[in-house]
Amino acid sequence: MGSLDGIITGFQTAFSLEAILFVIIGVFVGTIIGMLPGLGPISAIAVMIPMTFGMDPATALIMMAGVYYGAIFGGSTSSILLNAPGVSGAVATSFDGYPMAQQGKAGKALAIAAIASFTGGTVSVVLLMLLAPALSSVAVSFGPAAYFALMLLGLTAIASLSEGSTIKALISAVAGFMVVTIGIDAQTGTQRFTFGNMNLLEGLDFLVIALGLFAIAEVCSLVLNRKDKSVKDTHNIGSLKLDKQDLKDMSGPMTRHSFLGFILGVLPGAGATIASFISYIFEKRLSKNPDEFGKGSVKGLAAPETANNAATSGAFVPLLSLGIPGSGTTAVMLGAFLVLGVQPGPMLMTDRPEIFWGVIASMYIGNIFLLIINLPLIPYFAKILKIPRPLLISLVIVFSMIGVYAISFNTFDLYMLLLFGVIGFLMRLFSFPAPPFILAFILGGMLEQSLRQAMTISNGSLSIFLDDKIALGLLILALLSFVFPLLKQLRKNKEKAAEA
């Protein structure tokens, strides 16, 4: 069967009444799961696998795919309204989304997030349909050396995430590197920084740290400032309408990061979280007014929201074409494929076109329904801000704890959540930015693993980074990314000295 016939078969499958019904169920459940801090699509899909026994495999997988990208779509709501990321891919959304909500623009922020998510998701589905077979070979060509260079390129942007002092940003990043090394060394089996505690053998989960540094730290700040009259009243959700300037500001980031997010999503191991951070950093560096970022920038909100939804579709390239899961969620999806008797890989496109192309085609429908579901509900979502502050604080704590406990059902994680909440509050108090810590934690593990794998393959020779053309190109980009901001800063310093 040719590709065109396969696409037609896929659309026939996706546009059947049964498939449309299950797409709606999937994206609705995903949206709700995404809004609840800490739960995420992995738990939802894992719970749904037993429920799909006896169902048509194409319909079941269409529903679970809907849960996946629906959760990423919905994760922005709690990030914007409560500074409590619903999923890890929505952490970067809170950098500018939450400040907008504090300024009484929660309605506008949610509308921007919904439109950016829809654009990123839809563009990436088109790219997925056109490029899935070809991009599978590109994903495989990324070896350990290229992954190391890619992670290094991401880390050169730590200075861009500083909120004033670059030194404090670097200290925050070093702390993130230290925390990510906790646990058993995957290569040697050595325990690192566990202090004899069995609960630390597997390391710390990303969401424990993210919810601690953002949600619990915000709770601490609200409690201690409850009598401070200078704290703004955020009960006003503002208008949902976007003016011409907002649309103009959104258009560039949405176009750029639909492509960038999709490409990063294709790479196994990258995923929506890394895509959202890199897009945020990239957009901040492109901006003529980088100081606006972190204070309610439209571009700063649109960029990560576009990228994380585009990356979600991109993650299906290695899963469907090669049978390689690119993230924790797609690993669970791979399990769902196998349970349903479907073997993803190179032969799926020809042997089961109704599944390969049906899942892809269903994403068009899913993204449209996500927009239809989310836009009318924005005024109701935003009413969360009208909940009395004592009750709101209690709800944030409860949902954060439920989300963290649901990850491993270990009370130790709850203590870690509180610990990182206190650390996050102290970081705010002494003006240490949290984003560099989070970025270093996300990229640090993959950076170390890729470096050690590359060194093992080359018997300790650094020439592997020069022989690999992809790695060499990315290392050059990383060097330029590091040098140009320094030169720019030196020039500013000279201009200030000349004016003085």
Side-chain angles (χ1 to χ4, degrees), residues 214-400:
F214 291 97
I216 304 301
E218 182 65 28
V219 164
C220 293
S221 181
L222 288 173
V223 169
L224 291 176
N225 295 325
R226 63 189 183 279
K227 294 181 181 179
D228 187 352
K229 294 181 180 179
S230 65
V231 176
K232 294 181 180 178
D233 179 19
T234 56
H235 287 186
N236 180 23
I237 65 170
S239 172
L240 274 66
K241 292 182 180 178
L242 304 178
D243 56 33
K244 288 183 180 179
Q245 187 59 46
D246 292 328
L247 295 173
K248 183 180 178 182
D249 289 341
M250 291 169 61
S251 60
M254 288 193 303
T255 304
R256 286 187 287 271
H257 301 298
S258 293
F259 291 93
L260 179 60
F262 177 76
I263 292 167
L264 291 171
V266 168
L267 304 177
T273 308
I274 290 176
S276 62
F277 268 89
I278 290 178
S279 293
Y280 182 84
I281 292 159
F282 183 70
E283 194 59 39
K284 186 174 181 180
R285 288 199 166 181
L286 281 179
S287 176
K288 294 178 181 178
N289 302 302
D291 294 339
E292 292 178 356
F293 282 67
K295 299 173 184 176
S297 167
V298 172
K299 292 181 179 180
L301 175 56
E305 267 305 292
T306 304
N308 62 21
N309 283 269
T312 303
S313 299
F316 280 90
V317 172
L319 177 65
L320 295 174
S321 301
L322 301 170
I324 299 172
S327 63
T329 309
T330 49
V332 177
M333 283 287 295
L334 175 61
F337 272 85
L338 298 177
V339 166
L340 292 164
V342 179
Q343 177 62 57
M347 300 304 295
L348 182 64
M349 191 188 306
T350 51
D351 292 348
R352 304 293 296 271
E354 77 281 3
I355 292 177
F356 185 93
W357 294 111
V359 170
I360 295 173
S362 71
M363 293 181 186
Y364 285 108
I365 305 168
N367 277 296
I368 291 169
F369 277 115
L370 278 170
L371 195 66
I372 293 171
I373 291 169
N374 280 270
L375 277 180
L377 293 178
I378 285 175
Y380 302 100
F381 293 151
K383 283 184 179 179
I384 291 172
L385 296 176
K386 293 187 177 182
I387 296 173
R389 184 169 291 179
L391 180 58
L392 185 60
I393 288 171
S394 304
L395 288 172
V396 171
I397 294 172
V398 168
F399 280 122
S400 296

Side-chain angles (χ1 to χ4, degrees), residues 410-424:
N410 188 349
T411 53
F412 180 79
D413 286 344
L414 299 179
Y415 293 117
M416 288 294 100
L417 174 69
L418 296 175
L419 174 63
F420 279 98
V422 173
I423 291 171

Side-chain angles (χ1 to χ4, degrees), residues 11-24 59 365:
F11 271 99
Q12 287 174 341
T13 302
F15 278 88
S16 67
L17 189 62
E18 184 184 20
I20 291 173
L21 175 63
F22 280 99
V23 166
I24 296 170
T59 306
I365 305 168

